[in-house]
Amino acid sequence: MTSQAHSSQPSAPSGCRLKAWPRLLWVLLAGLGPGAWAQQGTQPHSIRIEGDIKLGGLFPVHSRGPVGVPCGEIKKEKGIHRMEAMLYALDQINSDPDLLPNITLGARILDTCSRDTYALEQSLTFVQALIQKDTSDVRCSNGEPPIIPKPERVVGVIGASGSSVSIMVANVLRLFAIPQISYASTAPELSDKSRYEFFSRVVPPDSYQAQAMVDIVKAMGWNYVSTLASEGNYGESGVDAFLQISREAGGLCIAQSIKIPREPRPGEFEKIIKRLMETSNARGVIIFANEDDIKRVLEAAKRANLTGHFLFVGSDSWGAKSSPILDQEDVAEGAVTILPKRASIDGFDQYFTSRSLENNRRNIWFAEFWEDDFKCKLTRPGVKFDSSRRKCTGEERISRESHYEQEGKVQFVIDAVYAMAHALHSMHLDLCPGYMGVCDKMDPVEGRMLLQYIHSVNFNGSAGTGVMFNENGDAPGRYDIFQYQLSNVSNPGYRVIGQWTNHLRLNSEEMQWSGGDRRIPDSVCSFPCEPGERKKMVKGVPCCWHCELCDGYQYQLDEFNCDTCPFDMRPLKNRTGCRPTPIIKLEWSSPWAIIPVFLAILGILATTGVIATFIRFNDTPIVRASGRELSYVLLTGIFLIYLITFLMIAEPSVVVCAFRRLLLGLGMCIAYAAMLTKTNRIYRIFEQGKKSVTPPKFISPTSQLIITFILISVQVFGVFIWFGVMPPHTIIDYEEQKPPNPEFARGLLKCDMSDLSLILCLSYSLVLMITCTVYAIKSRGVPETFNEAKPIGFAMYTTCIIWLAFVPIFFGTAQSTEKMFIQTMTLTVSMSMSATVSLGMLYIPKVYTIIFHPEQNVQKRKRSFKAVAQAATVSTHLSQKSNDKQNGESKIEPDRSQ
C-alpha cells in the first residue's frame, strides 16, 4: 500500500494542447465564487491510498480560516482523530480475509477546512473521472492524438462532518450518482431523499434527537420552555425539528425562540438572558448551539445572578463535554444533555497512540498535528526554524508526552467505512460470484446499485451495536441521556440518567438539581388549578391559563367548565361535585318557636280557666249577662287561635298541612264573627231604640248563634273549596334559604302555603275584624255600664294596631334567609296577642269579679226593651238634666237573654 501527497493538477503529455474542458465542469467551477481555486493555485493537498476500489473521504482537518483565507488552525480531535479513524478502518478491512477478500480498498482523503464552499471545491476531485472530456481537437506535436491519463475514480464518499458541508457536497455527488455516508452530519433536512437521494449517515438525524428532547421535557412535566439556537444549519434545523415535533405531540408551548448570531455583538448574550427572563416561568431552555455559544450563555446567566434559575436541556453539541461548562459548573448544574450512544474503540486507541512521524508518512497533515500536540517545531527544508519553540525530537509519544482522549465520533467514522465495505462485499457476492478481485460487472461500480446495497447493510458495528439504515438513509436513534450533577455526589460531573431508543427510559430518581434537590423543578406557564377551579385559557397560548373559582352554587364540571348544581343540591367544599342540601324545619327547641309556644300555652291555660269558670258559674248573672252562647263560641275561637301556634311549629305533613289550612283562619273567624254579631246586635238595639220602642229583629240568642255560624260557614266553605282545588301537601323549598354562601344553604320542609295563600286564608277574618271595629266605633256612645260595646271597641282598636304592625314585619322579611322562621313567629305571636287582647278585655274582668267579688254577681231587676229604648234616647240628650236623674235611678243591666 503506497501513500503520496499531491499538490499539482495532472497535465497533458508534453507537447500536447488541451483546448476544451467539459462545459459542465466549467459551470461548476464558475459557481464557486471569485478566487476559489486561485486560493490554492493548484489542486489541494490530499491523501491518496492506492487500492482496487477507492473511497473518498472528507474531514475538517483544519478549522475555518479568517476572511480571505480558506483554512485556519489544525483540528486535532475532530480533524486528525476522525481522519485517522478512516485510515484505521481501511487497514482493518484490508487485513480481514472475510470482508472483500482479494480486494484492496484505497482512498482519496480531502480537507474541508470546516467551510462548505471550500468543501465543494474539494469534492470536484471525486467527480473528475466521470466528466467526459472532448479531445477531438487536441493533437500532439507529431499530429497523433494525446495520451490522457485516466483520472482516479471513487465509488463512494465518507463524510462530511458538518451538516452544511454535507449538504453542499451532496448536491454535487448526487449529479454523478456517488453514494455518500456521513459520520457526523445530523441536520434533519438531509433525510429528504427527493433532494439528497445518495446521502446516508451512521448517526441519527437531529429529528430523532429533537424527539428525544421533547420526550425528556414532557417526562419532567414541563409544558413551557424556550429555545436557543446558534445561527447556522445545525442549530436552526435542530430547533425547527424540536418545534415541529412539539407541535405535533401537543401539550408543549414555546415561550421564546431565540437565535444566536454567527458574529454576536458585545452585550448580545446579556440581551438573550434578558429576553429569556421576560417569560421567567419558562425555566427550561432547549439549546442547540455550539460550544462557544453555550459557554457564553452560561457566563451571561451567571453575571445576571441567575445561577440555578435556568434548567438547560442540551443537544449533542453539548453532550458530555467539559469545555462548555468550564468555570461555569454552578450555572450548568442540573443540565440534561443528550449524546448519540457511542463507545470508545480500544483498537483505535492502540493504533493512534502508536503513530509516529516515521510510521505515519501517509498522513500529510500528521507533522502539523505533531507540532501542535507536542508544542514543538520540526525542521523542514526551506523553512526557517522558529527559535522561540523547542525542536521536535521525533521521539515523543502520543498520550505519554501529551494528553489524549478519543474523539467521540471515531466510532461512527469506522462504522461508515465498514458500511461502505459491507455494501461492496454484498455487491461483489451478487455480481462476481466466485471471482477473485473486481470483475467486469463492478468496473466501474454503478453508484445507484451500490446505494441499494448500502441501504440493505445490517451488521454489528465497532461498538457492538447494530449498523443499519432506514428508508431515508438514517441510522436508528440511540442516545444516552446525561445530567450534570454537583451536589451530594462523590465525583461531580456528567451522569447517565437514561437512554432513548425510539422511546424514552428516564431514571428520574437519579436526577438531581441545584442544591441537591431531588424534586424536578417546574417549567410551566401556569400551575395546575386547585380543585373547584376551572381553566380560562390564554388566547393563542394553549399551555397558559388563569384559574377561576367555580363560585356560588357551581361545581367543577371538567377541566375547563363549571356547572350549576341541581336545585336540591349544593357544591362540595372543594367544588368538585355536588351534595344534597340539608333539609330543615322549625324545631321546637328553636328560639323562633319557644316564645310563640310559651305565649300559646299561657293563652290556652287562661282560656281554659275562663271557660271552666264560665261553665262552673254558668247560671250566674254575670255569665248570663255576657251572652253565654256567643261567649262560648268566642272563647272557642280564642282557644283555636292559641292552638294554631302548635300546628304552625309542628313538623309539616299532609295532616298537619290540612289542619293548618282549616284552623289558621277558622279560630279568628269564629272569634271575630261572634264579636261582630255582638256589636251588631248592640248597635241595632240602640239605633232602633232611638226610633221606636219596637225591638229589632234577630236579637235573640238563637238568632245570634245562627248569624254567627253563617259567618263562620263562609270561611269553612272557602277552605273546603281550597282542599278540592289543591289538596294539601308538603314541599321542600330550596330557594328560601339559599344565601350566596352555599355552605349555609338549607332546604325548608314546609306546607304548600305561599305568603299570598296565607294572607287570603286570614283575609276573611280580617274583614270581620274591621267590620266589628266599625260597629264598635259606632256604638262608642253607649254608656259604659250598660253593655260590652266599650270593651269590644278597645279590643278591636288594639287588635287593629297589632295586625297593622304584623304586615310590615311579615312582608319586610321576605328577602331574609330566616324568612320562614321570622314569619311563623310573627304570625303566631300576632294571633296570640290578638286573642289575648280579646280574652283580657272581655272576659278576664268578669272572671275576676266572679271569683274575687261574688257579691256583685247577683240578680238585678229585669228591664223591658222600652226601658232600653228610653236609655238609648237619653244617651243622645246628655244635656237634659231631668232625664239624667230618671235614668240615674234606673241603672240596671239589660237582660241579654232576650
Side-chain angles (χ1 to χ4, degrees):
M1 189 179 299
T2 60
S3 305
Q4 299 176 24
H6 297 270
S7 60
S8 62
Q9 179 180 314
S11 61
S14 178
C16 293
R17 293 180 298 109
L18 192 59
K19 293 185 176 179
W21 270 89
R23 188 169 299 170
L24 176 61
L25 180 60
W26 285 115
V27 172
L28 289 171
L29 294 179
L32 296 177
W37 280 68
Q39 291 176 349
Q40 294 296 316
T42 59
Q43 183 176 328
H45 290 302
S46 64
I47 294 175
R48 178 184 291 172
I49 299 174
E50 298 298 333
D52 301 319
I53 299 175
K54 283 195 175 181
L55 304 179
L58 292 172
F59 294 92
V61 178
H62 292 85
S63 62
R64 179 197 299 261
V67 177
V69 180
C71 300
E73 298 176 348
I74 195 165
K75 300 178 76 168
K76 293 191 294 182
E77 287 82 12
K78 289 186 177 181
I80 298 299
H81 283 205
R82 293 178 182 180
M83 188 205 67
E84 286 288 350
M86 180 173 179
L87 298 177
Y88 166 78
L90 291 174
D91 292 346
Q92 296 294 109
I93 293 168
N94 288 332
S95 62
D96 189 340
D98 298 322
L99 185 60
L100 291 175
N102 299 309
I103 296 178
T104 302
L105 283 182
R108 183 71 177 273
I109 301 175
L110 304 173
D111 180 10
T112 65
C113 291
S114 307
R115 188 187 295 270
D116 49 5
T117 54
Y118 183 78
L120 179 58
E121 300 170 15
Q122 310 308 305
S123 65
L124 292 177
T125 303
F126 301 144
V127 302
Q128 284 185 29
L130 302 177
I131 300 174
Q132 300 298 322
K133 300 178 178 63
D134 182 9
T135 59
S136 59
D137 59 346
V138 178
R139 292 290 183 270
C140 293
S141 57
N142 57 7
E144 295 181 358
I147 300 173
I148 300 176
K150 185 178 180 180
E152 61 184 355
R153 179 189 180 97
V154 297
V155 299
V157 174
I158 305 300
S161 178
S163 294
S164 58
V165 176
S166 286
I167 288 171
M168 188 74 80
V169 172
N171 286 315
V172 173
L173 298 182
R174 175 175 175 269
L175 295 175
F176 299 94
I178 298 177
Q180 174 186 2
I181 302 179
S182 175
Y183 49 83
S185 299
T186 57
E189 64 187 277
L190 286 165
S191 298
D192 184 358
K193 293 302 105 177
S194 65
R195 297 179 59 192
Y196 308 105
E197 180 182 0
F198 286 83
F199 178 84
S200 304
R201 50 188 162 192
V202 291
V203 288
D206 286 338
S207 55
Y208 290 166
Q209 181 176 199
Q211 178 67 67
M213 295 172 82
V214 168
D215 291 348
I216 291 169
V217 167
K218 299 193 82 170
M220 292 192 293
W222 298 351
N223 67 1
Y224 197 51
V225 297
S226 295
T227 63
L228 267 178
S230 290
E231 192 174 43
N233 186 269
Y234 172 79
E236 294 178 51
S237 297
V239 165
D240 287 345
F242 182 88
L243 297 178
Q244 180 178 349
I245 293 169
S246 65
R247 279 193 297 267
E248 293 172 355
L252 185 60
C253 298
I254 307 302
Q256 304 270 1
S257 192
I258 303 174
K259 189 185 298 183
I260 304 172
R262 291 182 191 271
E263 303 295 335
R265 296 187 297 272
E268 188 72 43
F269 290 91
E270 283 71 17
K271 292 179 182 177
I272 289 172
I273 295 299
K274 189 175 181 180
R275 272 193 64 187
L276 290 174
M277 286 304 294
E278 289 175 4
T279 50
S280 57
N281 275 7
R283 296 179 62 189
V285 179
I286 312 304
I287 184 164
F288 281 85
N290 59 52
E291 297 176 29
D292 290 340
D293 287 345
I294 293 170
K295 187 174 182 65
R296 285 183 282 186
V297 167
L298 296 179
E299 289 172 348
K302 190 171 185 176
R303 285 195 297 271
N305 199 26
L306 292 172
T307 299
H309 177 80
F310 294 114
L311 312 168
F312 295 99
V313 179
S315 63
D316 60 351
S317 61
W318 184 333
K321 298 174 185 174
S322 56
S323 56
I325 62 171
L326 188 63
D327 300 327
Q328 312 299 329
E329 291 84 354
D330 51 346
V331 186
E333 184 177 9
V336 177
T337 60
I338 191 170
L339 203 58
K341 201 171 187 65
R342 62 195 186 192
S344 180
I345 309 303
D346 295 336
F348 177 79
D349 288 340
Q350 296 171 10
Y351 162 80
F352 191 77
T353 55
S354 67
R355 296 298 90 192
S356 67
L357 293 173
E358 289 75 21
N359 63 16
N360 200 21
R361 293 184 182 274
R362 63 181 176 180
N363 184 347
I364 63 172
W365 298 289
F366 196 69
E368 190 178 353
F369 163 80
W370 196 270
E371 289 179 327
D372 188 78
D373 197 43
F374 294 108
K375 304 295 185 290
C376 62
K377 193 69 177 176
L378 291 169
T379 57
R380 300 178 189 173
V383 178
K384 186 178 180 181
F385 178 72
D386 185 2
S387 59
S388 63
R389 300 183 67 178
R390 72 176 183 86
K391 184 178 179 180
C392 299
T393 64
E395 300 300 322
E396 297 92 350
R397 288 295 174 263
I398 299 171
S399 83
R400 191 178 67 187
E401 279 86 15
S402 66
H403 173 73
Y404 166 76
E405 183 179 355
Q406 186 179 126
E407 201 275 331
K409 292 290 196 305
V410 162
Q411 168 199 338
F412 299 112
V413 175
I414 297 171
D415 287 346
V417 178
Y418 265 89
M420 195 72 79
H422 276 280
L424 289 167
H425 182 77
S426 299
M427 188 177 188
H428 182 266
L429 291 178
D430 291 344
L431 299 182
C432 311
Y435 189 85
M436 305 299 288
V438 179
C439 66
D440 292 339
K441 290 184 178 180
M442 287 186 65
D443 189 16
V445 174
E446 206 280 307
R448 191 169 295 277
M449 184 181 295
L450 176 60
L451 180 65
Q452 295 175 358
Y453 282 100
I454 290 174
H455 286 176
S456 300
V457 299
N458 191 342
F459 64 96
N460 284 331
S462 55
T465 55
V467 176
M468 64 194 75
F469 303 96
N470 63 13
E471 66 277 5
N472 294 324
D474 298 326
R478 287 189 288 260
Y479 297 95
D480 282 325
I481 301 167
F482 298 86
Q483 187 182 40
Y484 187 73
Q485 299 181 356
L486 280 180
S487 307
N488 301 331
V489 289
S490 56
N491 185 23
Y494 293 98
R495 181 177 179 180
V496 177
I497 58 169
Q499 293 83 32
W500 191 93
T501 51
N502 296 323
H503 66 276
L504 178 66
R505 293 190 301 276
L506 188 67
N507 301 320
S508 56
E509 64 276 2
E510 295 183 9
M511 301 181 79
Q512 185 174 284
W513 306 88
S514 180
D517 190 4
R518 295 282 180 176
R519 185 181 60 85
I520 298 176
D522 294 313
S523 182
V524 295
C525 181
S526 303
F527 290 98
C529 293
E530 296 293 330
E533 294 178 340
R534 73 177 185 94
K535 291 181 180 178
K536 184 179 181 182
M537 305 305 297
V538 176
K539 188 175 182 181
V541 189
C543 301
C544 300
W545 59 81
H546 303 297
C547 294
E548 289 188 345
L549 181 67
C550 296
D551 57 0
Y553 286 80
Q554 293 183 325
Y555 70 100
Q556 185 181 358
L557 179 63
D558 54 36
E559 192 176 5
F560 303 100
N561 296 290
C562 297
D563 197 9
T564 304
C565 286
F567 74 96
D568 59 344
M569 304 185 82
R570 58 178 179 165
L572 296 169
K573 286 188 176 181
N574 61 7
R575 296 184 177 271
T576 56
C578 295
R579 52 181 168 162
T581 301
I583 298 172
I584 61 169
K585 57 183 178 58
L586 184 56
E587 301 291 342
W588 294 102
S589 58
S590 168
W592 301 108
I594 290 175
I595 295 174
V597 167
F598 178 73
L599 294 176
I601 291 173
L602 291 180
I604 288 173
L605 293 175
T607 305
T608 304
V610 171
I611 294 172
T613 301
F614 268 49
I615 293 174
R616 169 68 179 80
F617 299 96
N618 188 57
D619 291 324
T620 60
I622 290 180
V623 175
R624 293 178 62 192
S626 64
R628 289 176 296 183
E629 296 78 6
L630 283 181
S631 291
Y632 288 128
V633 171
L634 198 152
L635 288 170
T636 302
I638 292 174
F639 184 87
L640 292 179
I641 291 174
Y642 286 123
L643 187 64
I644 194 64
T645 296
F646 298 93
L647 288 173
M648 296 299 293
I649 295 173
E651 180 176 346
S653 64
V654 174
V655 174
V656 169
C657 292
F659 276 105
R660 278 190 190 179
R661 285 192 190 182
L662 181 62
L663 299 182
L664 181 62
L666 185 61
M668 291 180 63
C669 178
I670 293 173
Y672 295 130
M675 280 194 282
L676 175 59
T677 304
K678 276 192 173 192
T679 54
N680 176 265
R681 175 176 177 272
I682 295 171
Y683 174 75
R684 287 188 297 114
I685 288 174
F686 282 94
E687 284 298 311
Q688 184 68 20
K690 292 177 183 179
K691 300 174 183 177
S692 68
V693 294
T694 306
K697 298 179 181 179
F698 310 118
I699 60 173
S700 65
T702 303
S703 300
Q704 298 298 296
L705 288 175
I706 292 172
I707 293 171
T708 301
F709 284 121
I710 289 173
L711 294 174
I712 294 171
S713 65
V714 174
Q715 173 79 19
V716 175
F717 182 70
V719 170
F720 278 99
I721 292 177
W722 188 9
F723 282 156
V725 173
M726 186 182 297
H729 60 278
T730 60
I731 59 171
I732 300 175
D733 188 345
Y734 292 98
E735 296 299 325
E736 187 169 310
Q737 283 209 12
K738 200 170 187 178
N741 187 349
E743 288 301 308
F744 300 113
R746 298 293 185 269
L748 291 177
L749 177 63
K750 61 182 185 178
C751 292
D752 61 325
M753 293 178 67
S754 64
D755 293 348
L756 180 60
S757 63
L758 186 144
I759 296 300
L760 289 175
C761 189
L762 295 174
S763 60
Y764 181 65
S765 301
L766 296 176
V767 169
L768 295 178
M769 180 189 74
I770 293 170
T771 306
C772 184
T773 304
V774 170
Y775 277 110
I777 293 172
K778 289 185 174 184
S779 303
R780 66 184 182 277
V782 176
E784 182 180 352
T785 57
F786 195 79
N787 54 49
E788 296 179 299
K790 293 285 175 62
I792 291 175
F794 287 129
M796 289 299 98
Y797 306 152
T798 307
T799 302
C800 286
I801 293 171
I802 291 171
W803 285 102
L804 285 174
F806 161 79
V807 172
I809 296 174
F810 186 86
F811 290 102
T813 58
Q815 303 302 318
S816 172
T817 55
E818 304 287 341
K819 169 188 171 183
M820 187 189 78
F821 304 145
I822 296 174
Q823 290 185 343
T824 300
M825 178 181 175
T826 303
L827 177 63
T828 53
V829 168
S830 295
M831 294 182 73
S832 294
M833 289 177 66
S834 61
T836 302
V837 166
S838 299
L839 185 68
M841 290 193 174
L842 297 180
Y843 294 105
I844 296 300
K846 292 180 173 61
V847 171
Y848 176 80
T849 302
I850 290 171
I851 295 175
F852 296 103
H853 296 282
E855 71 278 3
Q856 296 181 11
N857 189 13
V858 295
Q859 179 69 36
K860 295 185 179 180
R861 183 172 62 85
K862 292 178 64 176
R863 295 188 63 198
S864 65
F865 179 75
K866 181 179 179 180
V868 174
Q870 289 176 349
T873 304
V874 169
S875 67
T876 60
H877 302 285
L878 295 177
S879 60
Q880 298 179 10
K881 300 294 185 178
S882 59
N883 291 338
D884 286 346
K885 183 179 179 182
Q886 182 183 354
N887 289 331
E889 293 173 352
S890 308
K891 286 183 180 179
I892 299 174
E893 289 287 333
D895 186 359
R896 307 274 167 71
S897 63
Q898 301 182 50

